[in-house]
Amino acid sequence: MHELSVCGALAELVNRRAGDRPVTTISLRIGRLRQIVPDTLAFCWTMVTAETALAGSRLEIETVDATVTCADCGHVSRIDPHPPLFVCHGCGGFSLTVLTGEEFLLLALDLAEV
Amino acid sequence: MGRFHRHDDGTEHRHDEPHDRTGHDHSGYATGAQRIQVLEHIFGENDRTAAANRADFAAHGVHTVNVMSSPGAGKTTLLRQTLRRLDGVRVGVLEGDIHTSLDADRLGGLGAAIALVNTGDGFGGECHLDAPMVRSALPRLPLADLDLLLIENVGNLVCPAEFDVGEAARAMVYAVTEGEDKPLKYPVMFRSVELVLINKIDLLPYLDFDLDAFLANVRAVNPGARTLRLSARTGEGVDGWVEWLRSRTGADVPSPA
């Protein structure tokens, strides 16, 4: 259901950017901390766009790993999503700042002109 | 549109050039395919509206807390207990519910201004409140006469965490009946709040709930989160949450000794 609401917001954004030009591919960058399942997002996209101008357009999803930096030792750790333990791999500290993984961007649109 | 033309976004190209040497795909009927770079946050529109809400709350001196939880964790029961204890604080409640006014009805008669946002107009009913929904309800609240606005979000541990509605703080209600592993399964929600209210502690004698394991899981995903134990049913511990709210409104801060 989360992916469904994301697709609604995305469709509005794509329509605003593309205007009346047909869109073939939508490139996204999504961090792993966003709880998005790419296959589910693609499935929801076909539902949300069915019988609209965006019907048939395809999502191209670039996934970004979650990484954090530690305020205590400076070590950069990759946070594994299963389970998502926010602990420094260098010193075991908890004073972490997220570097990557929260991205949620529309990167580009591929347009076709008929 | 001519063969050589310019789009609103400033891109321009022509269609009368021979395409054979350009390496374009001619397999479809679509010609002149083109990529436009966007680089825009998918929730940008929501976030702009959230900023407008936040500015309105600040202008009226209203401290706004977004209260989230899974369905049935006890948000509405807790809010009833909360409103009874917040005398001296002028409270508004913005109630998000998919189809009914049941929760809003339960909160009536306790001295708070209540605005209901039914989210059922969305795609089968939205599963969260977003900033435009909150904005649409603001005219129904007397912001100038409020110290505190409690936003009761739609019961859901996933989507509400993603939508900034303009709040100053986020708290979540978690019930001990949900099991110890919820922070690991819904890390985005648990990471997004500064306070986790551990509700239904009156049921602990009847459950195999491992509170220490739960607290360790909260710490694993959100080391800075504060936790408070309470029972919205019996009222035990609710005062701690009420004090937390009072300390933020500025309306009733104890004077320094």
Side-chain angles (χ1 to χ4, degrees):
Chain A
M1 71 162 115
H2 179 54
E3 282 78 0
L4 209 49
S5 27
V6 168
C7 284
L10 181 60
E12 272 180 40
L13 185 53
V14 170
N15 279 324
R16 200 167 67 240
R17 289 300 191 135
D20 56 358
R21 292 168 289 173
V23 178
T24 54
T25 306
I26 295 128
S27 303
L28 307 173
R29 179 180 295 153
I30 302 179
R32 289 194 192 276
L33 293 174
R34 287 294 184 170
Q35 307 181 99
I36 296 290
V37 180
D39 285 351
T40 308
L41 192 69
F43 173 69
C44 290
W45 183 249
T46 60
M47 281 173 63
V48 167
T49 58
E51 293 172 36
T52 74
L54 293 172
S57 61
R58 201 173 61 82
L59 299 183
E60 192 177 87
I61 302 166
E62 173 188 324
T63 305
V64 185
D65 280 344
T67 58
V68 295
T69 179
C70 176
D72 299 327
C73 73
H75 186 81
V76 173
S77 314
R78 193 176 70 90
I79 302 299
D80 192 70
H82 304 296
L85 301 178
F86 282 78
V87 58
C88 175
H89 297 179
C91 70
F94 289 112
S95 304
L96 306 174
T97 306
V98 173
L99 292 178
T100 62
E102 292 184 330
E103 296 79 0
F104 213 3
L105 293 169
L106 170 59
L107 295 179
L109 299 174
D110 285 331
L111 305 174
E113 299 216 16
V114 182
Chain B
M1 191 173 275
R3 284 183 156 187
F4 181 86
H5 53 261
R6 183 189 291 271
H7 292 293
D8 291 339
D9 57 26
T11 54
E12 52 188 45
H13 58 174
R14 49 195 299 152
H15 291 285
D16 56 350
E17 288 173 348
H19 282 242
D20 298 305
R21 286 185 297 273
T22 61
H24 287 170
D25 179 13
H26 291 270
S27 53
Y29 58 84
T31 59
Q34 149 194 54
R35 162 163 287 217
I36 57 173
Q37 303 297 325
V38 180
L39 207 69
E40 184 168 341
H41 195 278
I42 291 168
F43 289 146
E45 187 64 37
N46 182 76
D47 292 350
R48 280 186 287 277
T49 308
N53 291 347
R54 190 166 281 121
D56 284 356
F57 297 143
H60 290 102
V62 182
H63 188 78
T64 302
V65 181
N66 184 358
V67 183
M68 303 177 284
S69 82
S70 59
K75 283 188 304 300
T76 310
T77 305
L78 178 62
L79 287 187
R80 278 183 64 82
Q81 292 275 12
T82 306
L83 295 181
R84 287 204 186 97
R85 287 166 166 80
L86 274 172
D87 48 301
V89 181
R90 299 169 301 170
V91 191
V93 177
L94 202 154
E95 176 70 40
D97 210 337
I98 289 182
H99 276 305
T100 69
S101 66
L102 295 176
D103 283 355
D105 296 345
R106 287 172 64 199
L107 292 171
L110 294 171
I114 296 172
L116 176 69
V117 185
N118 264 324
T119 60
D121 288 341
F123 194 95
E126 285 291 354
C127 45
H128 60 273
L129 288 178
D130 63 24
M133 286 184 224
V134 167
R135 187 144 198 85
S136 72
L138 294 188
R140 302 200 294 279
L141 285 168
L143 283 189
D145 299 324
L146 296 180
D147 304 311
L148 176 66
L149 176 63
L150 298 170
I151 297 179
E152 183 178 346
N153 217 309
V154 180
N156 178 348
L157 286 183
V158 183
C159 315
E162 295 279 12
F163 289 87
D164 181 7
V165 296
E167 69 274 36
R170 287 180 167 196
M172 68 174 289
V173 182
Y174 160 86
V176 293
T177 47
E178 296 178 56
E180 301 87 358
D181 54 358
K182 282 292 178 293
L184 302 183
K185 289 183 174 171
Y186 301 94
V188 176
M189 171 61 76
F190 278 84
R191 277 178 58 72
S192 80
V193 301
E194 58 184 275
L195 178 65
V196 179
L197 301 169
I198 304 170
N199 191 21
K200 307 194 186 181
I201 56 167
D202 53 311
L203 296 179
L204 283 175
Y206 312 103
L207 303 171
D208 294 326
F209 180 73
D210 185 341
L211 183 60
D212 289 335
F214 172 73
L215 293 173
N217 288 340
V218 172
R219 206 166 76 112
V221 300
N222 186 354
R226 228 183 118 183
T227 55
L228 283 174
R229 300 163 207 188
L230 54 83
S231 165
R233 191 174 74 89
T234 67
E236 182 185 354
V238 174
D239 285 340
W241 151 245
V242 170
E243 282 316 304
W244 185 87
L245 289 172
R246 276 184 191 276
S247 70
R248 295 170 159 258
T249 61
D252 218 322
V253 181
S255 50

